Amino acid sequence: MSEESERPDAGGESTLTVVLAGSVNLAIAIMKAVAGVITGSGALLSEAAHSVADTFTEILLLTALRRSGRAADVMHPFGYGKERYFWSLLAAVSIFASGATFALYEGFATVFGEPVVQTKPIVGYVVLGLAFAMESVSWSQAFNQVRRGAAEQNRTIWRFLRYIDDPAPKTVFLEDSAALIGLVLAFAGLFLHHVTGSELYDGIASILIGLLLAVVAFILGLTNLRLLIGRQADLTVVRGIREHLAAAPEIEAVVDLQTMLLGTDQVLVCARVDFDDALGAAEVERACVRLAGELHDEFSDVTEVFIEPVPRSDPELRAAVLARYGDIARRYGQTR
């Protein structure tokens, strides 16, 4: 049985987080670029590229939030929720392509290229200080959203970020955290260049900023790759769905349960269950409709439910379940 629901995009807070981050990053990028040209600091120019990359990232995230909220249609009956993961994946690529690669290039050019005379370092210090203060505002918004989400799910922040199904706050939080670390590195490079007169420190700071951005891009890329492929729902939700179905008086056994994220706060449920053989066809149909409604009411993220009556003794089905879940299937008695 299928239950369809048109859900408006619930990303109001995510949109605020992204818009704030984008506005801050654009202003900071201009400041850093001007300061980098004035001081001749490779680390400052790398940080300017970092902020430009972050600005493009926010544009892509806004595109993701807008397009993923479209209602399902005949060509996309399960909706456009996964578009959020596609555009967020492009955002991760943007961080690497325009941020990390430029910072690494600038760093190696500074270390191995012609010596650069540093001028007016005080301009760099002022800009980096202002940038840190402005970036902290954006970081605080992203952190507060992540912290509230973790508290609602009774999880640590790290575990919440690991299993989050909305890549927007995770992307902004990680890129803003990297931005704050990058500013500290740029300040250290600028200061050591100022004190020692050696551009080596400036170059090393640029290289470290590039490596930092590459790591963030890899983490975000891997996150969105898993979501695009089709990750299962949160384990707490999966266990709750299984227990709810197993407790139904019409069901003797939950033979197989598959879930998949269709988008942020959108879960597809496919359940194969062994109904009581004494039930008639009409009773099975009514049970399927009732159970689909109950799952939707109990788990707000569940948007589509398919329940298929099957015999638990079927050897091909048992083999398929064992191949997919192994010991977990035995633990829940799916193969008995």
Side-chain angles (χ1 to χ4, degrees):
M1 301 292 296
S2 171
E3 175 188 327
E4 295 186 8
S5 173
E6 289 188 6
R7 295 165 59 92
D9 176 40
E13 188 175 16
S14 292
T15 301
L16 173 62
T17 300
V18 171
V19 170
L20 178 60
S23 302
V24 169
N25 282 321
L26 180 59
I28 291 176
I30 296 171
M31 290 167 49
K32 289 176 181 175
V34 173
V37 172
I38 293 174
T39 62
S41 170
L44 266 171
L45 290 174
S46 296
E47 271 299 296
H50 180 174
S51 295
V52 169
D54 285 352
T55 303
F56 279 120
T57 296
E58 314 314 334
I59 293 173
L60 290 169
L61 290 179
L62 283 175
T63 303
L65 292 171
R66 181 177 178 83
R67 293 185 62 84
S68 64
R70 291 180 295 168
D73 54 36
V74 66
M75 291 298 295
H76 297 87
F78 292 108
Y80 292 83
K82 286 194 176 185
E83 273 214 52
R84 185 173 297 200
Y85 308 146
F86 169 74
W87 292 103
S88 298
L89 178 62
L90 291 186
V93 174
S94 170
I95 293 174
F96 179 79
S98 56
T101 54
F102 182 86
L104 289 170
Y105 168 79
E106 188 65 32
F108 284 112
T110 301
V111 172
F112 299 106
E114 293 295 325
V116 177
V117 178
Q118 188 183 72
T119 59
K120 300 181 180 179
I122 188 64
V123 174
Y125 298 144
V126 171
V127 166
L128 288 173
L130 289 173
F132 194 92
M134 294 170 67
E135 200 73 66
S136 296
V137 174
S138 175
W139 182 87
S140 296
Q141 167 63 26
F143 176 74
N144 287 334
Q145 182 178 355
V146 169
R147 183 181 60 183
R148 282 192 293 269
E152 289 172 1
Q153 297 184 14
N154 195 26
R155 286 177 165 173
T156 63
I157 289 177
W158 168 249
R159 190 167 180 80
F160 173 75
L161 288 174
R162 182 179 179 185
Y163 293 106
I164 193 171
D165 64 357
D166 182 0
K170 179 175 182 177
T171 300
V172 175
F173 176 71
L174 289 184
E175 72 177 13
D176 282 354
S177 299
L180 292 175
I181 296 172
L183 288 168
V184 173
L185 291 172
F187 185 92
L190 185 68
F191 176 75
L192 291 173
H193 188 178
H194 182 198
V195 171
T196 65
S198 173
E199 69 277 359
L200 174 65
Y201 300 103
D202 210 21
I204 291 175
S206 294
I207 292 172
L208 291 176
I209 290 169
L211 293 175
L212 175 66
L213 291 176
V215 170
V216 170
F218 176 78
I219 293 173
L220 295 176
L222 189 61
T223 296
N224 287 286
L225 173 64
R226 290 170 175 168
L227 291 168
L228 273 173
I229 290 173
R231 202 186 74 192
Q232 75 166 0
D234 184 278
L235 287 176
T236 303
V237 175
V238 176
R239 293 192 193 102
I241 293 172
R242 181 184 300 281
E243 291 169 0
H244 188 98
L245 292 174
E250 300 92 342
I251 294 176
E252 293 188 345
V254 178
V255 180
D256 191 13
L257 177 61
Q258 295 172 272
T259 63
M260 184 173 67
L261 293 174
L262 296 175
T264 299
D265 300 331
Q266 299 177 48
V267 174
L268 167 69
V269 177
C270 297
R272 294 187 176 99
V273 300
D274 189 355
F275 282 96
D276 185 341
D277 291 340
L279 296 175
E283 293 173 301
V284 170
E285 291 172 350
R286 286 194 293 271
C288 288
V289 172
R290 190 193 81 245
L291 288 169
E294 290 174 356
L295 290 177
H296 176 70
D297 292 339
E298 185 173 348
F299 306 98
S300 59
D301 290 356
V302 172
T303 55
E304 298 285 345
V305 179
F306 296 88
I307 301 176
E308 179 185 1
V310 297
R312 57 180 152 174
S313 59
D314 182 81
E316 292 186 3
L317 181 56
R318 291 180 60 192
V321 173
L322 278 172
R324 188 185 310 122
Y325 299 112
D327 291 339
I328 297 177
R330 294 189 181 91
R331 188 183 311 162
Y332 284 102
Q334 289 175 281
T335 60
R336 291 181 299 176

